[in-house]
């Protein structure tokens, strides 16, 4: 008997160690499909997998339920086209050259879709790119010109030139994506499909079916809605993204210019009334009629209430109007994502498809009194990231590593079994997908350039690790800020000059310097980009 038990134990140990071995050396699925879903300005605070106080996004959440939720994903430069350039090139802005929304992308440099296409992948892109030129490496694309329109948008297409499509942009982009999957995709080749929503970008026009659902809702205010920026430096104080002072009454909160004139409310920016009129003009008579049915009562109530509103009341009112429309646009994004995920499942494609949901950056939903992005502060620096890959990522897993949009290119190329060019600066995320976090980077580099420009956020670069965020604002200021990320979750207190942090400051400044060298950024490049920018303006 004893012998048997001994033998049994030996066999059990053998089986276990084989199983362990197998897991360690488990082969990745071969040439998986890649579905890259990205929305424009979609704050993680507006995805229920992260935070369910504002909106339910059951379909986007499915990606985290079947895969991994990254809770510390961030961008390298929190603005639209630069983020897209980082994603496609796998290089920081100072190396790929697309430092802001103004300069065109240098299409002579290599991007990951080109390598995938050469490597036998079918490639397609639908929606917002915002590059100023067409993408390379795509068998098919239909992209919005620039920012694109919410209603009856134009598209620049690979094969049909510029076309106008009647309808709501989010639904059109979803239909294009589904059509390509169903009718154009070849079954015998893997694909890489970029499904890129315009929503929820400003000026936040929801789909007709969501107007009434959102316009009567009241949303919880963020703790820092009335922030006076006393604990921060000049940049936070001079930024023009405050709901009360800079959110426009017409374009943003949708009060018609004629009503504003009657009430004696001046436009907050020279283009406010024009933006409103432009958006309304794009709607066809039927769409406009439906809009007026729901928005007219809101406008009537505003006319009545405005004369008695204090500045605090106006701030509160603007925050609610902002959330109603911003979140309203997300409802259609979530439905579209659901339709595409359903199709992957029905067709069986889901089993060998990596699905990514992310945004080009984070966004302020009233935190610090703000809308927009750009800063290295939390809400704009962090970006949502949900990834599923059956057989590789365990369902319902969470990852807290500091991953960046810089990492997509090397990750996708590695997943496809292709070589990653040495100039790409991102990290391969596949070990993290497999639950192996050891040795992953413990700090990231950030650099924002678009200044002087809309929203007036000053140029800055930053070193960020789990504990600290050290930021240098430069150009027309020379100011440093330090945030203790563990103690000051809301980033209200710049402790750079606090003697208790003197040693930390010295240490982190050294780390930032090393990081700039590691990523090949430099004071000379800062200067070069300032000069280029001045010339362009
Ligand atoms: C527009 C918006 C800005 C926004 C930029 C960049 N103004 O100019 O609020 O910061 O786009 O956004 S608007 O009145 O025209 O809506 S980005 O996402 O493309 O970088
Ligand atoms: Ca954006």
């Amino acid at each position: 008997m004893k012998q048997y038990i001994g033998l049994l134990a030996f066999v059990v140990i053998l089986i276990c160690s084989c199983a362990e071995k197998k897991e360690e050396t488990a082969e990745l699925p071969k040439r998986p499909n890649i579905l890259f879903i990205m929305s424009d300005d979609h704050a993680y605070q507006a995805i229920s997998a992260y935070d369910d106080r504002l909106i339910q996004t059951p379909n986007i959440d499915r990606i985290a339920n079947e895969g991994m939720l990254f809770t510390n994903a961030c961008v390298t430069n929190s603005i639209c086209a630069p983020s897209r350039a980082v994603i496609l090139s796998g290089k920081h802005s100072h190396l790929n050259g697309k430092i802001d929304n103004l300069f065109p992308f240098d299409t002579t440099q290599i991007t990951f879709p080109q390598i995938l296409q050469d490597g036998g992948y079918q490639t397609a892109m639908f929606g917002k790119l915002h590059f100023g030129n067409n993408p390379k490496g795509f068998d098919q694309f239909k992209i919005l010109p620039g920012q694109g329109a919410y209603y009856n948008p134009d598209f620049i297409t690979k094969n049909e030139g510029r076309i106008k499509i009647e309808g709501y942009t989010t639904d059109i982009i979803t239909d294009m994506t589904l059509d390509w999957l169903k009718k154009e995709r070849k079954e015998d080749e893997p694909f890489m499909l970029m499904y890129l929503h315009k929503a929820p970008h400003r000026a936040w026009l929801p789909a007709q079916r969501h107007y009434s659902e959102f316009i009567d809702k009241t949303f919880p205010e963020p703790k820092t809605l009335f922030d006076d920026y006393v604990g921060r430096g000049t940049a936070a104080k001079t930024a023009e993204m405050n709901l009360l002072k800079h959110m426009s009454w017409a374009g943003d909160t949708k009060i018609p210019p004629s009503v504003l004139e009657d009430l004696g409310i001046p436009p907050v920016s020279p283009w406010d009334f024009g933006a409103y009129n432009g958006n309304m003009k794009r709607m066809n008579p039927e769409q406009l009629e439906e809009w007026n049915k729901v928005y007219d009562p809101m406008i009537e109530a505003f006319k009545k209430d405005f004369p008695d509103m204090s500045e605090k009341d106006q701030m509160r009112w603007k925050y609610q109007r902002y959330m109603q429309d911003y979140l309203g646009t997300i409802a259609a994004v979530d439905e579209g994502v659901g339709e595409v995920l359903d199709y992957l499942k029905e067709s069986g494609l889901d089993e060998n498809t990596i699905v990514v949901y992310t945004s080009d950056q984070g966004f302020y939903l009233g935190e610090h009194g703000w809308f927009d992005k750009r800063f290295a502060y939390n809400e704009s620096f962090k970006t949502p990231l949900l990834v599923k890959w059956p057989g590789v990522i365990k369902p319902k897993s969470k990852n807290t590593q500091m991953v960046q949009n810089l990492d997509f290119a090397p990750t996708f190329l590695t997943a496809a079994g292709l070589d990653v060019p040495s100039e790409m600066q991102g990290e391969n995320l596949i070990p993290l997908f497999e639950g192996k976090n050891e040795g992953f980077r413990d700090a990231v580099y950030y650099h924002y350039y678009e200044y002087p420009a809309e929203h007036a956020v000053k140029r800055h670069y930053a070193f960020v690790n789990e504990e600290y965020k050290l930021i240098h604002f430069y150009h027309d200021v020379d100011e440093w800020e330090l945030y203790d990320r563990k103690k000051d979750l809301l980033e209200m207190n710049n402790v750079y000059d606090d003697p208790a942090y003197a040693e930390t400051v010295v240490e982190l400044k050294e780390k930032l310097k090393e990081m700039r060298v590691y990523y090949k950024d430099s004071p000379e490049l800062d200067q070069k980009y300032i000069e280029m920018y001045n010339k362009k303006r």
Side-chain angles (χ1 to χ4, degrees):
M1 187 64 186
K2 249 192 190 159
Q3 270 166 336
Y4 272 125
I5 291 174
L7 188 65
L8 196 67
F10 176 71
V11 170
V12 167
I13 289 167
L14 197 68
I15 290 172
C16 289
S17 66
C18 282
E20 251 168 44
K21 257 242 151 59
K22 195 160 169 257
E23 207 177 279
E24 260 175 34
T25 56
E27 289 237 333
L28 289 170
K30 289 262 175 328
R31 290 159 72 77
N33 304 308
I34 299 162
L35 170 63
F36 183 80
I37 315 173
M38 185 161 76
S39 298
D40 193 6
D41 295 355
H42 194 169
Y44 63 88
Q45 310 92 296
I47 293 179
S48 43
Y50 286 95
D51 186 339
D52 60 4
R53 284 174 299 177
L54 293 174
I55 190 172
Q56 291 298 324
T57 50
N59 293 301
I60 296 171
D61 294 1
R62 266 157 72 182
I63 302 169
N65 287 336
E66 294 171 26
M68 188 172 268
L69 184 77
F70 284 87
T71 55
N72 270 314
C74 60
V75 293
T76 65
N77 180 1
S78 178
I79 185 144
C80 194
S83 167
R84 290 153 203 265
V86 167
I87 290 169
L88 292 179
S89 69
K91 294 184 290 189
H92 271 279
S93 305
H94 59 272
L95 291 194
N96 73 48
K98 182 100 184 91
I99 54 158
D100 58 36
N101 277 342
L102 308 174
F103 288 96
F105 179 71
D106 169 9
T107 56
T108 61
Q109 62 193 316
I110 203 83
T111 59
F112 84 81
Q114 287 165 283
I115 305 174
L116 286 178
Q117 192 184 41
D118 287 346
Y121 269 65
Q122 320 170 62
T123 51
M125 176 189 279
F126 302 105
K128 181 173 172 184
L129 177 62
H130 197 193
F131 258 23
N133 41 30
N134 291 341
K136 275 193 170 169
F138 287 90
D139 303 329
Q140 177 62 284
F141 65 78
K142 294 180 185 174
I143 55 170
L144 295 162
Q147 295 284 7
Y150 271 104
Y151 277 88
N152 312 321
D154 287 349
F155 281 87
I156 298 164
T157 70
K158 176 145 182 164
N159 304 320
E160 304 155 73
R162 190 169 169 131
I163 54 173
K164 182 176 180 183
I165 303 182
E166 207 66 6
Y168 184 64
T169 202
T170 302
D171 300 343
I172 294 168
I173 296 166
T174 299
D175 289 347
M176 284 173 171
T177 300
L178 283 168
D179 271 1
W180 185 85
L181 278 170
K182 291 178 186 170
K183 298 178 195 152
E184 237 176 286
R185 181 183 60 86
K186 293 183 218 107
E187 294 209 346
D188 50 354
E189 284 174 16
F191 66 80
M192 194 285 295
L193 172 58
M194 302 190 90
Y195 167 37
L196 310 174
H197 283 296
K198 170 198 167 51
H201 192 275
R202 199 179 178 192
W204 316 298
L205 305 188
Q208 221 165 284
R209 61 185 179 282
H210 296 125
Y211 294 163
S212 39
E213 183 187 338
F214 284 84
I215 208 158
D216 290 327
K217 278 197 177 153
T218 306
F219 299 93
E221 290 172 2
K223 285 195 191 111
T224 56
L225 183 64
F226 294 99
D227 192 350
D228 55 10
Y229 318 113
V230 282
R232 253 77 45 75
T234 308
K237 296 183 180 92
T238 55
E240 295 173 359
M241 40 198 252
N242 181 275
L243 294 176
L244 177 67
K245 293 192 194 133
H246 309 108
M247 175 166 275
S248 62
W249 293 102
D252 293 329
T253 66
K254 324 289 180 350
I255 303 296
S258 56
V259 173
L260 295 170
E261 274 162 14
D262 285 350
L263 291 169
I265 305 176
V268 298
S269 71
W271 52 85
D272 179 12
F273 290 3
Y276 174 87
N277 291 331
N279 287 335
M280 293 299 120
K281 239 186 239 149
R282 272 209 92 89
M283 291 191 184
N284 64 34
E286 209 183 291
Q287 291 163 341
L288 198 57
E289 198 186 322
E290 291 305 311
W291 173 275
N292 288 338
K293 265 191 216 159
V294 182
Y295 281 74
D296 276 354
M298 177 281 287
I299 295 162
E300 285 310 310
F302 176 77
K303 279 202 241 174
K304 219 166 80 262
D305 297 342
F306 180 77
D308 297 323
M309 278 187 191
S310 65
E311 285 203 336
K312 257 196 162 170
D313 296 336
Q314 290 176 23
M315 180 73 157
R316 297 208 147 103
W317 184 88
K318 275 185 162 177
Y319 169 73
Q320 295 300 336
R321 281 296 306 119
Y322 170 32
M323 283 303 95
Q324 289 156 2
D325 287 350
Y326 176 91
L327 298 168
T329 69
I330 289 172
V333 169
D334 189 64
E335 289 167 359
V337 169
E339 280 178 49
V340 174
L341 292 179
D342 285 349
Y343 178 71
L344 289 185
K345 190 150 216 134
E346 273 159 43
S347 59
L349 282 169
D350 65 324
E351 281 171 29
N352 193 29
T353 301
I354 303 175
V355 179
V356 171
Y357 187 90
T358 190
S359 171
D360 57 344
Q361 11 64 209
F363 212 69
Y364 293 94
L365 305 185
E367 300 87 358
H368 306 290
W370 284 334
F371 63 105
D372 214 67
K373 53 248 176 184
R374 299 161 192 261
F375 276 115
Y377 304 138
N378 270 339
E379 288 78 5
S380 43
F381 167 76
K382 267 180 81 162
T383 197
L385 178 61
L386 303 83
V387 187
K388 80 182 191 80
W389 188 0
V392 177
I393 300 181
K394 270 202 203 122
K396 292 192 172 35
S397 43
K398 266 200 185 161
N399 189 294
T400 58
Q401 297 296 305
M402 301 197 70
V403 303
Q404 285 194 294
N405 54 348
L406 190 66
D407 304 330
F408 290 126
T411 302
F412 294 153
L413 292 174
T414 308
L418 297 165
D419 291 339
V420 180
S422 59
E423 72 263 25
M424 286 193 176
Q425 299 179 300
E427 302 291 331
N428 168 24
L429 300 180
I430 296 173
L432 308 193
F433 294 166
E434 296 173 312
K436 300 171 197 154
N437 295 339
E438 316 78 57
F440 195 71
R441 72 155 84 80
D442 57 7
V444 298
Y445 181 58
Y446 182 90
H447 198 155
Y448 170 80
Y449 297 83
E450 196 177 286
Y451 178 86
E454 195 178 2
H455 300 300
V457 173
K458 294 189 188 296
R459 288 175 188 236
H460 57 292
Y461 52 83
F463 170 95
V464 189
N465 65 16
E466 262 186 54
E467 277 186 283
Y468 298 107
K469 186 177 283 178
L470 177 71
I471 313 177
H472 182 213
F473 288 94
Y474 69 99
H475 183 230
D476 60 355
V477 286
D478 179 5
E479 285 185 21
W480 291 83
E481 295 184 13
L482 176 68
Y483 295 92
D484 185 329
R485 304 186 77 200
K486 300 255 167 178
K487 292 196 184 136
D488 179 18
L489 294 180
L490 300 178
E491 298 181 327
M492 297 296 279
N493 298 305
N494 167 22
V495 292
Y496 182 80
D497 290 320
D498 182 337
Y501 289 88
E503 253 173 55
T504 308
V505 164
V506 174
E507 222 173 85
L508 293 177
K509 273 188 154 175
E510 195 48 41
K511 286 192 170 167
L512 173 57
K513 218 180 197 176
E514 285 166 14
M515 191 166 247
R516 276 176 49 96
V517 171
Y518 176 76
Y519 282 119
K520 303 188 170 68
D521 203 0
S522 64
E524 293 72 32
L525 277 176
D526 301 347
Q527 196 49 37
K528 173 187 138 184
Y529 285 123
I530 289 172
E531 279 159 25
M532 272 172 68
Y533 192 86
N534 290 345
K535 256 191 219 150
K536 181 99 181 171
R537 287 166 65 88

